[in-house]
């Protein structure tokens, strides 16, 4: 059955009305969209840049392994100055020379194993780069959404300050007129001050999130970031049966899988190295007396006898690396499956929880606000009772914001785990 997780970035009903602007800092703020933040992070992240630089070594190894022959040919030149004693004659001096070319050939398929190992290492490196890039994008998106929801939280807190200040002023006037007690006035003043303190704490946390995101994007200080509200995202539609297949395509699993393939190719290479390499050569030269010069052409074939050195150390090391790669691959697969299932289950619960808050709790609280305001005007309840109702409504809106943020962060983690685009940017 297809699961439609269709809550994108649901807005709070009360926040749909015109809101007062965020408290403006002294510096001019820099407004960023999610896509802009992701691209800045991708360009600025030093870990990603270092990982891409590491690919140069793997590309060089592949280019070397792709050569026609692994061993270079050897050229040799020799000259001989010979002195030949002659009976009753002066010593005869002869100059002789020779030139040769030899080539060592691998006869057990080592070249193919070497090329497969180098290609697998390169593909593993590329998958690791993709994995690091995906983590960078996910972490940036997480920080961006935290900033977005902290901005929304500040709006609610500023509304609470304005609301409770108004209520406190009303109670103070009623106290002065003798209609309310000093206790009522003190309670109202404390509630207003608590709301003001909460807004100050939220504003401080917002400043910390702005600084963290600016540092991640490597923006010069003092950069104040205001996150643009992201547009509503398309529903994430995936079935439970599709989760495992989607998770298998994650860059991290591709990386460990190709590492295992590279280790298997290296083992075959080490095993093939037990077969001796054959060296063939040809040599030409001139020898003999000047009046009877001889032209020599020599063909040679040499092969080492594998009597003592059988590459046991290299094969053992390659077997160990292959076994470790298999263990890492299996462990990564199990961990990925468990993580994806856990995120999928949590996302279902959060989707239902957010929907309940939006469709059941908030409308009831908004209705309570309207009824309590009418009751207060009619003198049926006090201003303090009205403050309690309004505070309950504000707390419910904060609960909804927290649930929505948890939903978005869980969705981002699931998208990263199953290879979905992060913030509209393809993996």
């Amino acid at each position: 059955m297809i699961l439609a997780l269709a809550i994108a970035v649901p807005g709070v009903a009360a926040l749909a009305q015109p809101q007062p602007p965020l408290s403006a800092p002294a510096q001019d703020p820099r407004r960023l969209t999610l896509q802009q933040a992701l691209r800045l992070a991708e360009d600025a992240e030093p870990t990603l840049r270092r990982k891409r630089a590491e690919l140069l070594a793997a590309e060089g190894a592949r280019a070397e392994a792709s050569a026609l022959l692994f061993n270079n040919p050897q050229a040799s030149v020799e000259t001989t100055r010979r002195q030949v004693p002659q009976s009753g004659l002066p010593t005869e001096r002869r100059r002789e020379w020779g030139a040769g070319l030899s080539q060592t050939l691998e006869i057990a398929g080592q070249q193919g194993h070497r090329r497969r190992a180098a290609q697998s290492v390169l593909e593993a490196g590329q998958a690791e780069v993709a994995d690091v890039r995906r983590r960078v994008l996910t972490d940036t998106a997480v920080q961006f959404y935290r900033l977005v929801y902290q901005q929304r939280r500040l709006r609610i807190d500023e509304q609470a300050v304005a609301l409770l200040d108004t209520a406190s002023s009303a109670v103070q006037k009623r106290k002065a007129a003798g209609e309310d007690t000093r206790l009522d006035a003190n309670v109202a003043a404390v509630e207003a001050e608590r709301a003001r303190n909460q807004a100050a704490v939220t504003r401080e946390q917002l400043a910390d999130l702005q600084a963290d995101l600016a540092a991640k994007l490597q923006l010069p200080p003092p950069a104040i970031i205001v996150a643009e509200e992201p547009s509503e995202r398309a529903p994430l539609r995936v079935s439970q049966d599709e989760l495992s297949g989607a998770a298998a395509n994650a860059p991290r699993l591709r990386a460990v899988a190709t590492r295992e393939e590279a280790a298997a190719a290296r083992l075959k290479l080490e095993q093939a190295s037990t077969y001796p390499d054959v060296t063939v050569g040809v040599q030409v030269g001139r020898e003999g007396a000047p009046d009877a010069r001889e032209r020599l052409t020599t063909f040679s074939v040499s092969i080492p006898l594998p009597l003592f050195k059988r590459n046991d150390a290299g094969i053992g090391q390659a077997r160990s690396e292959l076994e470790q790669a298999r263990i890492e691959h299996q462990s990564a697969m199990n961990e990925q499956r468990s993580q994806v299932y856990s995120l999928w289950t949590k996302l279902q619960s959060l989707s239902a929880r957010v929907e309940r808050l939006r469709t059941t709790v908030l409308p009831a609280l908004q209705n309570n606000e309207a009824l309590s305001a009418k009751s207060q005007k009619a003198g049926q309840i006090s201003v303090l009772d009205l403050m309690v109702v309004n505070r309950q409504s504000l707390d419910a809106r904060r609960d909804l914001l927290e649930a929505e943020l948890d939903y978005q962060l869980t969705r981002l983690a699931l998208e990263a785990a199953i290879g979905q685009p992060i913030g509209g940017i393809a993996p």
Side-chain angles (χ1 to χ4, degrees):
M1 178 180 66
I2 297 295
L3 171 67
L5 301 174
I7 302 175
V9 186
V12 182
L15 294 181
Q17 303 172 357
Q19 301 295 331
L22 294 175
S23 299
Q27 299 86 357
D28 291 334
R30 177 171 182 176
R31 308 191 74 86
L32 285 179
T33 65
L34 176 59
Q35 286 72 25
Q36 289 172 338
L38 294 179
R39 298 197 183 281
L40 284 173
E42 187 176 357
D43 294 336
E45 179 60 38
T47 304
L48 180 57
R49 293 161 63 186
R50 285 196 298 267
K51 204 67 182 177
R52 284 171 172 164
E54 292 176 3
L55 284 180
L56 298 175
E59 290 172 353
R62 184 187 63 171
E64 182 176 296
S66 299
L68 180 61
L69 294 173
F70 180 71
N71 298 294
N72 288 325
Q74 294 183 348
S76 62
V77 177
E78 61 180 20
T79 62
T80 304
R81 184 177 180 181
R82 192 189 301 272
Q83 295 181 351
V84 180
Q86 301 183 77
S87 178
L89 295 174
T91 300
E92 181 183 0
R93 291 184 174 85
R94 301 178 183 174
R95 293 185 179 274
E96 302 172 350
W97 61 270
L101 185 67
S102 62
Q103 174 68 56
T104 300
L105 303 175
E106 296 172 318
I107 62 173
Q110 293 96 323
Q111 190 77 352
H113 300 320
R114 188 178 294 108
R115 290 173 180 172
R116 282 191 292 273
Q119 180 65 31
S120 297
V121 169
L122 177 59
E123 291 175 358
Q126 292 170 340
E128 289 171 357
V129 168
D131 183 51
V132 172
R133 177 177 178 266
R134 175 166 289 275
R135 289 203 304 268
V136 169
L137 295 179
T138 303
D139 293 344
T140 304
V142 165
Q143 289 184 270
F144 188 89
Y145 273 105
R146 288 188 185 280
L147 182 55
V148 166
Y149 281 91
Q150 194 69 14
Q151 292 172 174
R152 294 183 180 183
R153 173 67 180 265
L154 181 56
R155 292 193 186 103
I156 292 178
D157 289 347
E158 288 177 341
Q159 283 183 340
V161 170
L163 181 66
L164 294 176
D165 272 345
T166 301
S168 179
S169 298
V171 174
Q172 296 296 335
K173 292 178 181 178
R174 291 174 61 85
K175 171 183 170 295
E179 298 178 2
D180 280 336
T181 65
R182 179 179 297 179
L183 176 61
D184 293 337
N186 289 341
V187 170
V190 168
E191 288 295 322
E193 188 57 36
R194 287 182 60 197
R196 190 174 290 104
N197 179 73
Q198 180 61 54
V201 171
T202 302
R203 194 175 292 108
E204 293 165 3
Q205 294 172 344
L206 177 62
D208 289 339
L209 291 172
Q210 289 172 327
D212 291 342
L213 184 56
K216 186 175 187 61
L217 304 182
Q218 295 190 4
L219 297 177
I224 304 300
I225 296 177
V226 176
E228 294 280 3
E229 297 286 338
S231 58
E232 186 173 348
R233 300 165 65 190
L236 177 62
R237 299 182 181 275
V238 61
S239 68
Q240 186 174 6
D241 295 335
E242 294 170 343
L243 288 176
S244 299
N249 294 323
R252 177 168 173 260
L253 286 187
R254 292 204 310 269
V256 294
T258 49
R259 290 288 182 192
E260 181 181 350
E261 293 173 4
R266 281 194 293 268
L267 174 59
K268 292 181 179 179
L269 175 61
E270 296 295 340
Q271 291 172 334
S273 297
T274 59
Y275 293 88
D277 297 337
V278 176
T279 302
V280 297
V282 59
Q283 185 171 7
V284 297
R286 298 296 295 272
E287 295 181 359
D291 56 350
R293 302 287 280 175
E294 298 177 350
R295 185 181 187 90
L296 303 179
T297 302
T298 304
F299 293 95
S300 64
V301 176
S302 63
I303 182 170
L305 299 179
L307 300 178
F308 307 107
K309 185 177 180 181
R310 301 285 299 173
N311 197 29
D312 295 323
I315 293 175
Q317 180 66 27
R319 288 186 187 278
S320 175
E321 292 177 356
L322 176 58
E323 187 62 27
Q324 292 177 28
R326 285 173 176 167
I327 294 172
E328 183 180 1
H329 187 194
Q330 187 63 42
S331 175
M333 289 179 60
N334 294 335
E335 180 182 347
Q336 187 81 355
R337 292 194 191 100
S338 176
Q339 179 188 16
V340 167
Y341 180 77
S342 175
L343 291 171
W344 181 76
T345 304
K346 182 179 180 181
L347 198 64
Q348 284 183 298
S349 175
L350 285 168
S351 177
R353 181 151 62 94
V354 170
E355 189 64 21
R356 286 196 305 271
L357 287 171
R358 291 184 64 205
T359 59
T360 304
V361 178
L362 274 185
L365 289 173
Q366 290 169 354
N367 189 33
N368 288 347
E369 287 179 0
L371 293 175
S372 60
K374 293 179 180 179
S375 299
Q376 195 273 329
K377 289 181 180 180
Q380 298 176 348
I381 62 173
S382 66
V383 176
L384 292 181
D385 294 330
L386 179 62
M387 292 173 63
V388 171
V389 173
N390 290 333
R391 174 172 285 280
Q392 187 182 40
S393 177
L394 292 169
D395 289 341
R397 293 177 186 176
R398 295 188 184 102
D399 292 341
L400 176 58
L401 278 183
E402 292 177 0
E404 289 173 344
L405 178 58
D406 287 344
Y407 174 87
Q408 292 296 349
L409 300 188
T410 304
R411 171 170 174 157
L412 284 170
L414 182 58
E415 287 175 341
I418 63 177
Q420 293 287 322
I422 303 296
I425 296 181

